Amino acid sequence: MSLRAESHAATSTLKKLAADMSNIIESLDTRELHVEGEEVDAEILTDPKGCVCIPFSAIYHTHGFKEPATQTYLTGCPVRVRVLEVERFTSTKKVPSPNVYTIELTHGEFVWHVKRKFKHFQEFHRELLRYKAFVRIPIPTRSHTVRRQSIKRGEPRQMPSLPHTAESTVREEHFSSRRKQLEDYLTNILKMPMYRNYHGTMEFVGVSQLSFIHDLGPKGIEGFIMKRSGGHRIPGLNCCGQGRMCYRWSKRWLVVKDSFLMYMKPDSGAISFVLLVDKEFSIKIGQKETETKYGLQIDNLSRSLILKCNSYRHAQWWRQGIDEFIRKHGKDFLTEHRFGSYAAVQENTLAKWYVNAKWYFEDVANAMEAAKEEIFITDWWLSPEIFMKRPVVEGNRWRLDCILKRKAQQGVRIFVMLYKEVELALGINSEYSKRTLMHLHPNIKVMRHPDHVSSSVYLWAHHEKLVIVDQSVAFVGGIDLAYGRWDDDEHRLTDVGSVKRAAAGKSVSTANLASAAESSERVPLQPQALAPESHLFERNADDAPDTSKMKGVGKPKKFSRFSIYKHLHKHGMHHADSVSSIDSESNKGSIRSLKTGVGELLGETRFWHGKDYCNFVFKDWVQLDKPFADFIDRYTTPRMPWHDISSVVHGRAARDVARHFIQRWNFTKIMKPKYRSLSYPFLLPKSQQTANELKYQVPEAVPATVQVIRSAADWSAGIKYHEESIHKAYISVIENSKHYIYIENQFFISCADDKVVWNKIGDAIAQRILKAHRENKRFRVYVVIPLLPGFEGDISTGGGNALQAIMHFNYRTMCRGENSILGQLKAEVGDKWINYISFCGLRTYAELEGKLVTELIYVHSKLLIADDNTVIIGSANINDRSMLGKRDSEMAVIVQDSDTVPSVMDGQEYSAGRFAQSLRLRCFRVVLGGSDLNPEHQDPVCDKFFKEVWIATAARNATIFDKVFRCLPSDEVNNLTQLRDFINKPKLANDDPAKAAEELKKIRGFLVQFPFRFLEEEYLLPSVGTKESMVPMEVWT
């Protein structure tokens, strides 16, 4: 027998011996055992104010309950004990312990109660004696050695003793001394680290690793319980049968917090289920209700959880403890709120709006950079390689994947949920996004949902766009962190940028710039507030690095960072924080005047890199796994500008947004087997009680009243009843508006016929206008939508089937048929509808490689403003998919102003809300041109503005665009025959560019009238036999 084999045999024998000894010691009858001698020193007790908090991130590092050295208590903070009362229970049987003691424990800011009988004290005392003896025996196992080493040697101390008198012989007059004895006993035990940290002690006083985490809020009842498997509301999550044979019972540690319950596995400490408190939350006990002896049933919208206690009284304690605690600390979650929302109205909430993604991306990047614990992201589409700050000046520092990797390395947990698309229908490649992010760092976890086959959800999408930092700052709106979204208020069409390339055939812009280049040191900075049209050609002359430089964007080849700044300084441009890459010739090259908000730029810079330069009506995205390769030709095709709106909220409202994300994450984790592993943890909502302790705040946010609203259902969030609070909020705000409604939306599909379309937003608008007409009052409705739906298709041949289907429903809502808004209005007011409502789109123009080009600006916003005091910003389009709740999942905020500023409305003095009015003025400035402080824009209701500014600008701009470019869609084209003739006619832009440029100078802003008569003689729904005709009509609505 070899030496190695011998040693192996010896080791295994030792291990067996050790295990046997452990078992013997654990089962010793400790009534006979009194080991006296040295005990353990108590920790130095300090003032509770100086105690060290357990960080929130501890929820991701839980350990098995019996593992030594697990931090449960606050360091340097005593546990105070008071026995409050004694209840005496009478029974027909002779009970040895008729008295129940209510014990109040205080540890730092946490106060909680436990109920124990004297027999429990006796059992606990015996267990401690057994543990004491066990610790002294040097069993050669690693865990036991660690346990022994963790106990510091100190002065000898007698273990406190329990009173010996039997409980039944104690008279009532002696209760107070008995209470005092038990109080002293427990106080002394909890002063000794050896006993305090023992898992049996923690069980006795009802504490765990998650008891004293400040951000989880006050401490509720905790303890071991048996739980039954199953009970989930969603089909497919329970066992195949519903009979008792299928149930499994497991021992779990149940923890009650102010807005949720959870249970943990004692052996690993893993959180294995979280049950959120909601409007359906209820607790029942009894055999009849729960089909279990001493059962306890806890219900919410997602699950009916059955627990088993060891006596009827034990079940009563649990029910009472949970019920009282939740009613005291979590009552906001127990009721349905305004509009049927899961979230309460939160006053005095800091909020901020964003028009276009430039500023939104910057604030998101800065908030992520400030994250300490968690970042939650959910998007319809996410592109890991997008740049969050542009033009790019610091290499890849502000690229989304680089930010997330950096934060993950710092210990921040990052959770991302992506919509799992039907790959045949959409090319957003969420699988690539998931793979890319997951490879960055183990702290980044990505889920995709739904699984179309197993969940039988083929038609609907997760459409929310959320970024939540530390559950304290939540960005909510319409902007995905994806290609094509970044834009600013100029909505540029071009991004070729090379002045050198155009040298062969000098364009107007090159000629203008050449003279500027010679005296480059004297060129003044362009003021930022110039109207967009004041630089007809120069504004589009962006430079771009060649593709060979693309991967390491922002790293100049011949200049060190220092010399770049020296170079900028030399030109009086040291405050420009954006240079993508400096061309080696740039000191004798040209300076372009770009109103980027960062001063002028030098050399070659691009705003849109690779796949970010896009025109999705011209061509949809392809090869997303090659992010830096262009897929359309920048030198011939203009990009499609992207107009969008978003918001950020703080504090309690941010907690509400985070709660929605957590609900969806935890549901997906249970739903999809691949996410059930411990590497995808359950998420826990932070308490509303700590919501206003903001560690980070987005600059320039203003206080307002905010409520979070959503569209959610069984398939998307695992809830029993669907929620359509966004739909209800839209209708309520429209019905209750007094002066005007301003809408920007990607779709406009409404006017219910209760057959194909069900949402009632269009009807509410028509009825509100008719009410104003009957009351003879001024009322205005502004609707801004994209001139064409965002589907790939060549509109010069009529567009694709998908594009036409959406056009059909948009026109059906606006102006075609008796159900439409204009149909309903004309029936009562005739042509006077024109005094009440205006439908517009956005368009712009540029010079590209010496040619004049035009393109529509894609309106992707989901915005409603009413009366300069109420705003809804979110991800929900005006269509059934977004509004009905049962279909796409959506998230929005309704913001009502509490701070007012003096203003004018309909010629009268008016108190306007700071948030709502400033947002409206910015939207008006962007679409109409001019400045934020334009006095003409102050009163959105008076005739002067509505007719002479809004309608006149839209009509003039549309006329000029038609004259110069013969744009589509157009009122001159009523059918496909006219369409062929229309596109073959000559364009002024081609025939006489100089005259065309003169005409274009008359354009103000981007606003154009919406062409109501485009293809009105054609049937636009998909014809039989096409693949689009095979999908249900709900896909388009």
Side-chain angles (χ1 to χ4, degrees):
M1 196 178 187
S2 68
L3 260 175
R4 183 174 295 180
E6 278 182 36
S7 67
H8 180 72
T11 314
S12 59
T13 313
L14 266 172
K15 277 186 181 167
K16 269 188 186 165
L17 246 172
D20 290 346
M21 284 180 75
S22 299
N23 291 335
I24 291 164
I25 294 292
E26 287 280 357
S27 57
L28 269 176
D29 185 353
T30 45
R31 280 173 288 198
E32 308 301 320
L33 185 68
H34 275 280
V35 185
E36 287 169 16
E38 54 186 46
E39 210 40 272
V40 188
D41 197 1
E43 281 180 5
I44 301 149
L45 301 178
T46 54
D47 182 55
K49 286 176 191 160
C51 61
V52 181
C53 288
I54 299 172
F56 182 76
S57 54
I59 69 167
Y60 301 116
H61 306 288
T62 51
H63 302 284
F65 284 27
K66 292 187 180 181
E67 283 180 35
T70 308
Q71 186 184 359
T72 301
Y73 302 95
L74 305 171
T75 315
C77 190
V79 182
R80 306 193 190 286
V81 182
R82 283 172 60 215
V83 179
L84 295 184
E85 57 176 345
V86 188
E87 295 168 73
R88 196 173 183 102
F89 288 99
T90 51
S91 167
T92 48
K93 297 178 198 157
K94 190 162 169 46
V95 182
S97 285
N99 301 329
V100 176
Y101 298 90
T102 301
I103 305 156
E104 180 186 85
L105 298 111
T106 309
H107 184 47
E109 61 180 307
F110 301 93
V111 180
W112 71 105
H113 293 165
V114 295
K115 292 192 173 190
R116 298 288 179 260
K117 292 182 173 182
F118 184 62
K119 73 168 185 190
H120 298 140
F121 275 93
Q122 289 173 312
E123 286 162 8
F124 172 52
H125 186 66
R126 282 200 291 276
E127 192 177 350
L128 286 181
L129 289 171
R130 190 158 62 227
Y131 172 63
K132 177 178 169 181
F134 176 55
V135 163
R136 295 196 160 185
I137 300 168
I139 299 169
T141 61
R142 181 177 296 169
S143 61
H144 192 71
T145 310
V146 171
R147 191 181 286 118
R148 280 168 58 82
Q149 285 167 352
S150 68
I151 295 168
K152 302 170 203 152
R153 295 278 168 185
E155 62 191 65
R157 169 111 37 81
Q158 179 75 33
M159 183 172 162
S161 57
L162 263 180
H164 292 299
T165 337
E167 184 80 344
S168 48
T169 61
V170 178
R171 294 196 186 137
E172 266 187 56
E173 56 267 29
H174 297 144
F175 275 165
S176 60
S177 65
R178 170 56 67 100
R179 268 167 45 192
K180 184 81 180 76
Q181 288 168 334
L182 295 178
E183 217 170 83
D184 292 347
Y185 170 77
L186 205 49
T187 302
N188 287 329
I189 290 289
L190 290 170
K191 276 183 184 171
M192 303 179 194
M194 168 180 169
Y195 298 127
R196 186 176 61 208
N197 295 330
Y198 175 52
H199 64 85
T201 310
M202 294 185 208
E203 185 185 340
F204 186 79
V205 296
V207 301
S208 68
Q209 299 153 65
L210 302 182
S211 296
F212 305 120
I213 294 172
H214 176 68
D215 270 331
L216 285 180
K219 177 176 161 24
I221 184 172
E222 296 183 36
F224 279 116
I225 204 126
M226 297 298 289
K227 70 96 191 169
R228 191 170 85 177
S229 62
H232 298 278
R233 305 253 182 239
I234 304 306
L237 286 189
N238 302 314
C239 297
C240 46
Q242 290 298 325
R244 282 185 193 173
M245 300 298 289
C246 282
Y247 296 133
R248 283 190 324 277
W249 288 97
S250 315
K251 186 181 184 184
R252 295 289 181 260
W253 179 265
L254 185 67
V255 179
V256 179
K257 290 289 180 186
D258 57 358
S259 72
F260 67 95
L261 280 68
M262 65 175 171
Y263 53 73
M264 302 163 75
K265 291 181 177 173
D267 52 349
S268 64
I271 297 167
S272 52
F273 187 70
V274 178
L275 185 134
L276 298 178
V277 173
D278 56 35
K279 64 180 183 182
E280 285 284 295
F281 185 82
S282 67
I283 311 167
K284 305 185 187 92
I285 59 170
Q287 172 109 27
K288 188 171 152 219
E289 301 281 356
T290 63
E291 305 170 2
T292 306
K293 196 178 182 187
Y294 311 139
L296 185 75
Q297 180 175 318
I298 303 175
D299 285 290
N300 77 345
L301 283 168
S302 305
R303 189 176 182 185
S304 183
L305 177 65
I306 307 262
L307 306 171
K308 184 159 60 178
C309 304
N310 48 27
S311 70
Y312 181 72
R313 190 166 289 142
H314 189 211
Q316 279 279 32
W317 288 346
W318 270 106
R319 184 179 73 168
Q320 189 184 350
I322 296 171
D323 199 52
E324 284 176 6
F325 187 77
I326 300 283
R327 289 195 185 289
K328 182 178 176 186
H329 296 288
K331 61 177 183 296
D332 263 359
F333 300 100
L334 290 166
T335 52
E336 189 170 84
H337 297 279
R338 184 179 65 168
F339 311 129
S341 171
Y342 75 106
V345 178
Q346 308 292 5
E347 293 180 356
N348 203 22
T349 298
L350 287 170
K352 178 181 179 179
W353 50 257
Y354 299 93
V355 177
N356 295 320
K358 173 185 164 70
W359 298 275
Y360 174 74
F361 275 15
E362 280 183 18
D363 275 2
V364 167
N366 291 334
M368 285 179 177
E369 195 59 38
K372 295 284 182 283
E373 292 145 1
E374 299 169 324
I375 297 172
F376 301 158
I377 302 171
T378 182
D379 275 332
W380 178 80
W381 181 23
L382 183 144
S383 311
E385 298 85 3
I386 55 160
F387 288 95
M388 303 293 282
K389 295 190 182 184
R390 306 186 199 185
V392 178
V393 66
E394 295 178 77
N396 288 335
R397 178 174 173 78
W398 296 110
R399 212 172 82 179
L400 178 59
D401 53 354
C402 298
I403 299 171
L404 295 179
K405 183 175 183 179
R406 182 163 67 245
K407 295 313 291 182
Q409 286 168 340
Q410 291 168 15
V412 173
R413 295 293 184 125
I414 295 161
F415 302 98
V416 182
M417 275 192 293
L418 299 176
Y419 162 55
K420 186 176 182 181
E421 74 282 11
V422 180
E423 284 157 32
L424 292 171
L426 276 173
I428 55 179
N429 203 341
S430 62
E431 202 269 332
Y432 166 77
S433 301
K434 176 181 177 178
R435 194 172 62 242
T436 307
L437 292 174
M438 291 281 280
H439 282 161
L440 295 174
H441 195 275
N443 276 353
I444 300 175
K445 299 290 175 210
V446 185
M447 287 183 178
R448 296 192 303 152
H449 186 261
D451 264 351
H452 303 283
V453 179
S454 64
S455 64
S456 68
V457 177
Y458 294 97
L459 306 180
W460 315 132
H462 285 299
H463 197 242
E464 307 100 308
K465 298 96 171 55
L466 308 176
V467 178
I468 305 148
V469 173
D470 292 338
Q471 299 191 36
S472 299
V473 179
F475 294 86
V476 181
I479 308 176
D480 286 303
L481 303 179
Y483 294 134
R485 271 60 176 169
W486 190 94
D487 215 329
D488 60 14
D489 294 351
E490 291 190 39
H491 294 313
R492 295 174 190 80
L493 288 186
T494 64
D495 193 30
V496 295
S498 175
V499 227
K500 290 172 293 184
R501 180 187 163 96
K506 275 204 169 184
S507 65
V508 191
S509 59
T510 326
N512 290 349
L513 290 164
S515 58
E518 288 163 26
S519 54
S520 57
E521 301 201 16
R522 297 196 302 276
V523 174
L525 290 171
Q526 285 299 326
Q528 201 180 329
L530 282 174
E533 68 279 4
S534 62
H535 270 284
L536 168 52
F537 298 113
E538 291 94 315
R539 68 181 172 137
N540 297 305
D542 299 3
D543 274 0
D546 57 74
T547 340
S548 62
K549 287 186 198 168
M550 278 310 309
K551 291 270 173 165
V553 174
K555 294 193 174 138
K557 295 198 173 176
K558 295 203 181 174
F559 288 100
S560 69
R561 188 160 176 183
F562 171 72
S563 66
I564 291 173
Y565 284 97
K566 196 158 75 177
H567 193 74
L568 289 174
H569 213 283
K570 185 174 147 195
H571 294 292
M573 293 197 287
H574 46 280
H575 65 281
D577 69 326
S578 303
V579 178
S580 174
S581 53
I582 301 262
D583 191 88
S584 53
E585 295 295 306
S586 62
N587 54 346
K588 49 183 187 289
S590 65
I591 293 186
R592 292 158 308 121
S593 169
L594 291 178
K595 299 193 304 280
T596 58
V598 293
E600 297 189 56
L601 301 173
L602 294 162
E604 300 185 352
T605 182
R606 268 186 187 173
F607 291 99
W608 295 275
H609 299 283
K611 295 289 184 293
D612 218 359
Y613 185 92
C614 55
N615 185 323
F616 45 88
V617 173
F618 172 75
K619 184 181 181 184
D620 221 333
W621 280 274
V622 289
Q623 293 186 312
L624 290 169
D625 51 346
K626 295 177 181 165
F628 296 115
D630 283 6
F631 73 113
I632 56 176
D633 186 351
R634 296 168 186 260
Y635 298 101
T636 57
T637 307
R639 67 179 284 276
M640 184 168 285
W642 190 278
H643 182 76
D644 218 332
I645 306 281
S646 197
S647 68
V648 64
V649 294
H650 297 70
R652 296 172 76 88
R655 290 276 203 271
D656 290 333
V657 179
R659 191 178 183 82
H660 168 78
F661 181 96
I662 288 165
Q663 183 173 46
R664 267 194 55 203
W665 177 276
N666 291 347
F667 162 62
T668 309
K669 176 176 165 58
I670 299 166
M671 187 80 184
K672 290 184 72 170
K674 68 159 83 167
Y675 300 139
R676 286 180 199 160
S677 77
L678 290 179
S679 66
Y680 283 84
F682 276 99
L683 301 182
L684 303 181
K686 289 186 176 179
S687 171
Q688 287 286 18
Q689 297 198 9
T690 62
N692 292 327
E693 299 167 13
L694 296 176
K695 296 182 183 72
Y696 177 78
Q697 196 176 310
V698 175
E700 297 164 20
V702 298
T705 299
V706 174
Q707 185 185 15
V708 178
I709 46 182
R710 66 176 179 172
S711 293
D714 51 1
W715 79 265
S716 58
I719 52 177
K720 185 162 67 167
Y721 306 120
H722 77 281
E723 181 176 322
E724 52 178 300
S725 47
I726 302 176
H727 184 204
K728 290 176 181 172
Y730 260 81
I731 287 169
S732 169
V733 170
I734 291 165
E735 285 176 348
N736 294 305
S737 57
K738 303 269 191 297
H739 303 284
Y740 80 88
I741 300 160
Y742 176 78
I743 289 172
E744 286 184 9
N745 209 285
Q746 181 188 1
F747 293 89
F748 199 63
I749 298 174
S750 187
C751 295
D753 57 10
D754 294 349
K755 293 191 201 85
V756 182
V757 179
W758 299 82
N759 83 80
K760 296 185 164 46
I761 292 169
D763 304 293
I765 291 170
Q767 290 309 311
R768 180 64 193 86
I769 289 171
L770 291 174
K771 180 183 174 210
H773 179 72
R774 289 171 200 137
E775 293 171 357
N776 201 19
K777 288 185 177 168
R778 277 206 187 91
F779 186 79
R780 314 290 190 194
V781 178
Y782 302 88
V783 179
V784 179
I785 60 173
L787 290 165
L788 288 172
F791 289 87
E792 186 179 337
D794 181 358
I795 194 62
S796 63
T797 60
N801 287 323
L803 194 142
Q804 287 192 359
I806 301 296
M807 270 168 49
H808 166 87
F809 285 108
N810 278 342
Y811 278 124
R812 182 198 157 283
T813 306
M814 290 187 283
C815 56
R816 295 184 189 167
E818 57 191 32
N819 272 342
S820 68
I821 292 175
L822 295 195
Q824 292 181 47
L825 294 181
K826 284 175 182 173
E828 189 164 326
V829 306
D831 286 344
K832 287 185 184 168
W833 66 265
I834 203 157
N835 296 321
Y836 296 101
I837 190 164
S838 161
F839 293 97
C840 293
L842 304 179
R843 179 176 284 285
T844 188
Y845 64 92
E847 185 213 1
L848 178 62
E849 293 293 284
K851 274 182 68 179
L852 286 170
V853 290
T854 184
E855 187 53 271
L856 63 90
I857 294 170
Y858 192 63
V859 178
H860 188 260
S861 327
K862 297 93 173 57
L863 167 70
L864 181 146
I865 310 175
D867 298 344
D868 275 2
N869 59 25
T870 305
V871 177
I872 300 175
I873 293 173
S875 65
N877 295 314
I878 294 178
N879 59 14
D880 280 0
R881 289 186 69 115
S882 289
M883 290 294 169
L884 294 188
K886 294 176 182 176
R887 301 185 182 181
D888 290 1
S889 63
E890 308 284 1
M891 176 62 64
V893 289
I894 174 167
V895 181
Q896 288 165 303
D897 272 295
S898 47
D899 280 17
T900 58
V901 290
S903 183
V904 184
M905 187 74 74
D906 199 6
Q908 306 293 313
E909 286 185 5
Y910 186 74
S911 288
R914 185 189 293 182
F915 183 95
Q917 191 200 41
S918 59
L919 173 55
R920 175 182 64 80
L921 289 174
R922 171 59 58 84
C923 291
F924 279 13
R925 187 202 85 183
V926 170
V927 302
L928 292 166
S931 71
D932 272 356
L933 301 171
N934 192 330
E936 284 187 324
H937 300 172
Q938 197 70 21
D939 184 344
V941 176
C942 67
D943 275 352
K944 186 172 180 358
F945 174 76
F946 185 68
K947 293 178 178 170
E948 295 172 32
V949 178
W950 185 269
I951 288 178
T953 302
R956 183 177 61 245
N957 288 349
T959 306
I960 296 168
F961 275 122
D962 284 345
K963 186 174 173 183
V964 174
F965 295 108
R966 300 185 66 74
C967 305
L968 290 172
S970 164
D971 274 336
E972 289 181 41
V973 178
N974 308 141
N975 56 48
L976 293 173
T977 314
Q978 290 177 0
L979 178 62
R980 282 190 286 278
D981 297 342
F982 183 82
I983 56 171
N984 291 325
K985 285 183 182 166
K987 298 176 185 174
L988 187 63
N990 297 344
D991 295 355
D992 190 346
K995 189 176 178 204
E998 279 304 305
E999 286 288 331
L1000 290 171
K1001 283 180 181 169
K1002 298 176 193 165
I1003 281 179
R1004 294 286 173 270
F1006 305 119
L1007 199 68
V1008 290
Q1009 267 183 338
F1010 202 91
F1012 283 155
R1013 303 189 57 200
F1014 181 59
L1015 296 182
E1016 68 179 356
E1017 294 167 17
E1018 297 290 337
Y1019 182 73
L1020 295 173
L1021 284 177
S1023 48
V1024 178
T1026 60
K1027 69 175 193 287
E1028 284 82 5
S1029 68
M1030 291 157 79
V1031 298
M1033 204 62 86
E1034 297 101 283
V1035 168
W1036 313 113
T1037 61

